[in-house]
Each structure stands twice: as C-alpha cells, then as structure tokens.
Amino acid sequence: WSVQATVSWLLSEFLEGRSVSIVAEEDVQTLSKPEASSLLSAVVNTVNECLAEAPKYGLQCPKKVLGTSQILEAISRCNSTGGPTGRHWVLDPVDGTLGFVRGDQYAVALGLIEDGKLVLGVLGCPNYPMKKELLNYNHQCNQIKPTSPPSSDIWQKGCVMYARRGTGQAWMQPLIHGDTKFEWPNSATLLQASPIDDPSQATFCEPVEKANSNHLFTEGLASSIGLKNRPMRVHSMVKYAAIARGDAEVYIKFARSGYKEKIWDHAAGVVIVEEAGGVVTDAGGRPLDFSRGLYLEGLDRGIVACSGPILHDKIIGAVYASWDSSNL
C-alpha cells in the first residue's frame, strides 16, 4: 500500500495537468476497515518518510505532510482496467510477496502502455546484487549459514533496471544510498542479454511457487533438451531481470489450469528483456498482448522469455515437442 500510494502520488504530481491512469494490484478496502487503524497509520508514516526523500531524485516532495485521506485517495486512484486505447501505467508495488517476507528476491515494477503497446519498463530489485557471483551468497544467507561474506569492493545490494521501447538499450544502476543524489548516470551500465544459444548450456528461470506454475512440464522440457545447469528458481519479476542482465537465458512459465496471468506481473520485465536483446512471447511464439485489460488474454499455453532469437526458436520447438509427447 505504501509503495502504491507513493508511486501514485509522484506520477500525479509529475504529470500534473494530464489524466493519469494507473492499473495496480492493491485497493483500499482492507485499509478502510476500523480494525486496520494501526496498519493505516503505518502506511501513512511510511509514505511520508519516503516522499520526504523525493528531492534526492530531482522531484518535489509534498509541501506538507500528507494526511490519511490523501494517501487513501492516492491508492484508490489506481483503479484503471487498462485497455487498447490511451496511456496506462501498470504497477505491481511488491511483486513476489513471499520473497519480500523471507528477505529474498522481490521487485517494485512499473510499466507504461500506450494504445495497447508496452513503451516503458522500470524494475526496482532491492535484494538483487549488482554482481552475479553474489547470487549464490544471497541464496546461502536465506537457506543455511553462509560461507565467508563477499569482499566489500563488489558488494552492492539492490539495483534498478529500466528501458524505453525502441531504443535498443536497457540500463541498470545501483540503488541510491545515504546522502547520494540521483544524477545521471550514477554508475548506470548498459544491460546485455546472454549470447548463449545452445539450450543445453542455458540456465532456466522458473517461479518458486508451485501453486501457479507447472514445474513438472518445465522439468520435462529441461530434460528433453539436455539441460546441464541447475534451474534458477527465484521469486518475482527478478526472473526477467536475470535474463536481461545475462545471469540466465530462459524463463518459462506454464500456469496451472484456471490461472490467468495479470499484466502487472510481466509488463515492466518484458520491455527490459526485449530492449536488452531478448525475446518474450507466449508458447506459440506470439507477442504478449497487453491491450486487453487486467489479464494477458489469449495466451498460447504459457510464457517463454529467452536471451536471444536463436535460443528462443529452439526453446519454442522443444516446447511443441514436449507438449505433444506429454499427457498435459
């Protein structure tokens, strides 16, 4: 709620005079209940603490502390249902709630759709290390007692990735810490997806949760192409971040029957992967359609994201072969 209120308020202020349509996950029903007063108070405090730092990023902070009604209004303003016309911001304030609770991977994801087409994506990944070699260390921290900590010169926890459609560029930079201010480029680096095009050498990403993903099919697919690397199971849209940065080559998600993919779970990540050189389609090879409201309607079986077109074609072919031979 705090993230949604903060992003909603900033967009409305920054785009003053324009109609701001925001598609987002949270509503105010729970916060509006009498028994939620302490929770609402915490949200109000968090939002005001966050907005007080807006000048660090070249933005105006509120002239005075925002009240409860203003923050509830900012959250409830995010009630758009998207669609094929107009400009719609798409926000997932905390993508990967379980990862967030566990201190593992999660993302703050913001995309922009104009007339049904993705044009912008931003992913904030607070626990995703700037260096690939720290991924295993982070995993150890959350599973078992870790080995020796990484040296301080490579330890930068958290990053932001972003891309604009048609530029052929996707960027990453570390989080802003302490008294540092946002001044381009602030250590920003270009992202480049992995050049690996042999499926047997690729690293697969897949969701951690089994509730909305068919791990059995993806395991069978990995086996059929002779995959040698262990799959990278990670919470949230950080999977797209891993593809864009070259930490992994393939993200496949085949939802269980009845599960509908929401646009806020994919929008920001898709444009970043594609501008970094990757390809994202459904399992039939068709681009994802973000123009049909809250859900990715008409998906052919599932979603396939790859680090490049050659690898993507091979994975799509393997999907067809595995699907035909399975009992799904």
Side-chain angles (χ1 to χ4, degrees):
W1 286 301
S2 299
V3 174
Q4 186 160 310
T6 300
V7 174
S8 172
W9 189 88
L10 284 170
L11 283 176
S12 297
E13 289 293 308
F14 189 73
L15 301 173
E16 185 179 5
R18 301 188 221 174
S19 176
V20 180
S21 169
I22 305 175
V23 183
E25 189 169 16
E26 305 299 336
D27 58 40
V28 296
Q29 292 181 1
T30 299
L31 285 179
S32 300
K33 295 178 180 178
E35 60 269 26
S37 59
S38 60
L39 175 60
L40 178 57
S41 177
V43 169
V44 170
N45 290 337
T46 303
V47 172
N48 280 299
E49 288 173 6
C50 186
L51 288 176
E53 296 191 351
K56 290 172 58 175
Y57 304 91
L59 300 170
Q60 293 292 323
C61 62
K63 294 179 180 178
K64 59 182 180 179
V65 172
L66 296 183
T68 299
S69 61
Q70 292 171 292
I71 289 174
L72 287 174
E73 180 187 355
I75 297 172
S76 61
R77 195 183 299 137
C78 305
N79 60 358
S80 171
T81 56
T85 58
R87 167 185 277 197
H88 308 287
W89 296 90
V90 181
L91 172 66
D92 193 334
V94 177
D95 181 47
T97 308
L98 189 56
F100 171 73
V101 170
R102 291 176 173 175
D104 205 334
Q105 299 304 327
Y106 71 100
V108 177
L110 182 67
L112 178 61
I113 298 171
E114 289 186 342
D115 294 329
K117 304 295 183 182
L118 273 177
V119 298
L120 185 73
V122 184
L123 276 179
C125 308
N127 289 334
Y128 197 50
M130 287 288 289
K131 303 289 185 178
K132 181 178 180 179
E133 56 263 38
L134 295 178
L135 287 172
N136 289 335
Y137 177 82
N138 275 7
H139 179 72
Q140 288 178 333
C141 286
N142 291 303
Q143 301 295 326
I144 58 176
K145 184 178 180 180
T147 55
S148 59
S151 57
S152 59
D153 61 323
I154 64 169
W155 178 254
Q156 282 185 308
K157 188 177 181 181
C159 59
V160 178
M161 300 183 184
Y162 43 95
R164 182 162 57 90
R165 174 72 72 205
T167 61
Q169 296 179 332
W171 296 88
M172 174 181 70
Q173 66 184 68
L175 300 185
I176 302 296
H177 294 291
D179 295 328
T180 306
K181 292 184 178 181
F182 178 83
E183 296 177 8
W184 173 259
N186 272 129
S187 304
T189 55
L190 277 170
L191 295 170
Q192 182 61 55
S194 167
I196 290 174
D197 58 15
D198 180 353
S200 69
Q201 300 299 318
T203 296
F204 272 55
C205 281
E206 62 180 8
V208 175
E209 298 87 354
K210 295 183 179 181
N212 59 14
S213 181
N214 195 320
H215 283 181
L216 275 178
F217 178 73
T218 54
E219 288 169 3
L221 176 64
S223 176
S224 72
I225 62 175
L227 184 71
K228 297 176 183 178
N229 295 330
R230 210 173 147 190
M232 179 179 174
R233 286 186 176 170
V234 62
H235 297 279
S236 82
M237 241 181 286
V238 168
K239 293 179 280 292
Y240 284 113
I243 301 293
R245 198 170 79 173
D247 295 341
E249 286 75 37
V250 182
Y251 165 35
I252 50 180
K253 184 180 181 185
F254 290 81
R256 293 183 177 275
S257 177
Y259 182 83
K260 296 178 70 174
E261 298 287 353
K262 305 172 187 70
I263 61 172
W264 55 67
D265 286 328
H266 300 278
V270 168
V271 67
I272 291 172
V273 166
E274 291 179 339
E275 294 304 308
V279 180
V280 186
T281 68
D282 67 14
R286 299 178 305 182
L288 305 186
D289 186 354
F290 289 89
S291 71
R292 300 172 68 179
L294 301 180
Y295 301 98
L296 291 173
E297 304 284 0
L299 276 183
D300 185 342
R301 292 165 290 181
I303 295 172
V304 178
C306 293
S307 54
I310 295 175
L311 180 60
H312 181 265
D313 288 347
K314 292 177 180 178
I315 296 297
I316 291 292
V319 167
Y320 271 99
S322 297
W323 194 274
D324 291 341
S325 63
S326 73
N327 293 320
L328 297 175

